[in-house]
Amino acid sequence: MRLRKGMLLGLATVALAGCGDQEAYDPESGTSAATMFEEGCAHCHGQEGTGKFGFLLSLEDTQLPEEGIADMIANGTGIMPAFPELEEDQRQDLARYVTDL
Ligand code: HEC
């Protein structure tokens, strides 16, 4: 019984931590776009940008220009979270990375 409770608590903590650090994602400057994508975006958009939940979140054929993507990363969409902690050049790197997917 004791063991079970501990396991449940552990699971809940992991789940909460998973949600929490998404919004405050703040990679060191110099982190590669591929790493930022993997750490900050892939859990929704998939490792290769193919969309974790199928075509809906696919970034492969996005029509958005790099500018628009960088804006989106800065401000979010209401559904997609914003990444206010990313520096300007990190957003540009990511935007370029996404258009190359
Ligand atoms: C919590 C899930 C989530 C995370 C994390 C996330 N996104 Fe998104 N993203 C979405 C959703 C949902 C949409 C589509 C909804 C919308 O357009 O409002 C979207 C849309 C986009 C689009 C627009 C695609 C198009 O063609 O319309 C781009 C570009 C994008 N995301 C890039 C990124 C990048 C880069 C990151 C990492 C910095 C990221 N997203 C992280 C959920 C997420």
Side-chain angles (χ1 to χ4, degrees), residues 24-41:
Y25 181 53
D26 187 9
E28 284 175 36
S29 52
T31 306
S32 75
T35 303
M36 289 190 286
F37 189 84
E38 197 179 319
E39 293 177 350
C41 322

Side-chain angles (χ1 to χ4, degrees), residues 12-91:
T13 312
V14 168
L16 282 175
C19 289
D21 56 24
Q22 249 177 53
E23 282 189 271
Y25 181 53
D26 187 9
E28 284 175 36
S29 52
T31 306
S32 75
T35 303
M36 289 190 286
F37 189 84
E38 197 179 319
E39 293 177 350
C41 322
H43 51 277
C44 288
H45 290 292
Q47 219 59 252
E48 314 284 330
T50 46
K52 188 85 178 233
F53 308 104
F55 67 94
L56 266 181
L57 293 185
S58 173
L59 298 179
E60 277 181 310
D61 334 294
T62 182
Q63 302 300 311
L64 286 172
E66 278 180 31
E67 282 294 290
I69 298 176
D71 269 6
M72 210 163 166
I73 297 169
N75 302 313
T77 64
I79 310 174
M80 178 173 141
F83 291 82
E85 304 297 327
L86 290 183
E87 289 154 30
E88 177 73 33
D89 59 337
Q90 292 178 318
R91 290 198 288 269

